Amino acid sequence: MGVSRLDVFYRRLLLSKLFIGGWGKPEDLKRIFEFRKIIADRERCKFLVPRDYPVHINKTEAHADCYIHDGVFISPLEHLVPGILPTEAVKARFQFIVPKRWQINRPVCIHLAGTGDHFFWRRRTLMARPMVKEAGMASLLLENPYYGYRKPKDQLRSCLKNVSDLFVMGGALILESSVLLHWLEREGYSPVGMTGISMGGYMSSLAVTNWPKPIPLIPCLSWSTASSVFTTGVLSKAVNWSELEKQYAIDSVYEEEIIKLLEYCGADSFKMAQEFIKHSSGRVNSFQHLLEQPPEDGVPVDCCSRVGGKAKMGPGLWVGEGVAGDKLDTILSVDNTKTSFDTLPSGYQANKSLTGMKANSAKTCRPSLHSESISFMKGVMDECTHMANFSVPVDTSLIIVVQAKEDAYVPRTGVLSLQEIWPGCEVRYLNGGHISAYLFKQNVFRQAIYDAFNRFCLKYPHLV
């Protein structure tokens, strides 16, 4: 199947560049990757967000068929990885659209925002208000970090400044979704599910991997990893590769230290690992075992099961008091970001303003630099967004994926399918591409939501 011409044309109309600031601070990437090891394993982080985490409703507006509540709470990520969020993004904001009259039960679907979906009007107009009329279903719209009221002052529109910003956004949304799911349970709403379109589909999928109960999930126009989006999809043309290549070449920390933290090693990353090793002259020992023991039958290796040093978490844990266990206390604390400066190999000349700078600036012109940067991008994206790197949702039969056949934004070639990672999930394909599906198939997305919720009610009537 080819790619949509509309997708390609639409991308050419947008001239803004992604990641103009580069990869992000190496110390931030290290903290993010360490935290990813924890939230990727559902059992290890079940007490990170307490069930009574405070949520506040600030304002309520009455409309003809619904009430719209505006709410806020502090992102748990600020407690767990202090200082990683921009100041503007620490306070999470949401809108809760509730029908004045419920039809059956009190179902709520949480909608996470796609790329460029600032504030709430788009999701409210295209999804939430129609869902009130069609199914009497409530919607909760969470605002993404880096968007709307949570957008840093130095960020241009929707263009994330650093690659690391996307991973911070994902970690924040996983935890913030848990806050909202707990809150909805306390308020007596049921069933509760999650959805999102494009990037919102990825983020809702990540959030559900962390939830310890059966839950409907409807990711639309997303797939198993975001790595293909930024390396082979049409959005790869918008990436500021010149800045990324420059930083990768000049600062040794990326290819000498950060690569060693990348743990996803599924079948679709095996070639990537070989490229890393070939281009880094044997320095990347963390991937050597892949060459000796390649994955069998295309099945991704369960990386989470190999992560050592489990954080000690107990039922009395409260995020406001810090997290028990050496992982979060010693690695994630804002006071312990010294690792990139103070734990360098002996003989490494570090200057904190130009840490890890290579003496030979000619390396910025090495022929393989572009391919190395693309491989590194795939590695870090897979580390933080590949679904095989996270726990499998509790009940995959409640997952209905809606995908466009000719999607040029979310390539499916060369990556594991969601059916392989989540056996039992359903995938529905639409004709056309990413843009046409978003513009003209919102009703199909809503029908998938209703079907997934009905499936939950039939399978778990005692939980409704």
Side-chain angles (χ1 to χ4, degrees), residues 29-98:
L29 285 169
K30 291 179 180 181
R31 297 169 73 205
I32 293 166
F33 294 164
E34 290 298 333
F35 189 62
R36 199 283 306 162
K37 297 175 187 177
I38 295 170
I39 60 173
D41 188 336
R42 192 163 51 236
E43 290 303 312
R44 295 182 65 191
C45 58
K46 62 171 60 176
F47 301 112
L48 284 184
V49 178
R51 295 180 180 179
D52 59 349
Y53 194 96
V55 175
H56 306 285
I57 298 296
N58 290 338
K59 183 178 69 174
T60 299
E61 294 180 358
H63 294 259
D65 56 349
C66 66
Y67 297 101
I68 298 181
H69 308 283
D70 288 303
V72 298
F73 59 93
I74 300 300
S75 177
L77 190 63
E78 177 64 14
H79 300 296
L80 297 171
V81 193
I84 201 74
L85 277 169
T87 303
E88 299 89 343
V90 169
K91 182 181 290 186
R93 302 171 185 268
F94 66 90
Q95 275 196 353
F96 189 26
I97 295 90
V98 181

Side-chain angles (χ1 to χ4, degrees), residues 66 68-71 73 92-98 109-134 137-150 169 173 176-177 180 193-201 203-204 218 220 438 442-443 445-446 449-450:
C66 66
I68 298 181
H69 308 283
D70 288 303
F73 59 93
R93 302 171 185 268
F94 66 90
Q95 275 196 353
F96 189 26
I97 295 90
V98 181
C109 189
I110 298 175
H111 302 247
L112 299 187
T115 302
D117 193 351
H118 295 262
F119 305 105
F120 308 107
W121 68 268
R122 191 183 301 179
R123 284 171 288 166
R124 185 176 64 235
T125 303
L126 298 178
M127 294 292 285
R129 295 297 290 271
M131 288 170 65
V132 168
K133 295 178 181 178
E134 295 170 355
M137 182 179 292
S139 294
L140 194 152
L141 317 178
L142 175 61
E143 187 170 57
N144 285 4
Y146 301 94
Y147 280 12
Y149 290 112
R150 308 180 72 183
M169 179 193 290
L173 288 173
E176 291 165 15
S177 296
L180 294 172
M194 295 197 67
T195 190
I197 300 173
S198 191
M199 183 178 71
M203 298 303 182
S204 62
I218 309 89
C220 304
Y438 182 85
Q442 298 277 336
N443 61 320
F445 303 153
R446 294 196 300 273
I449 293 171
Y450 306 150

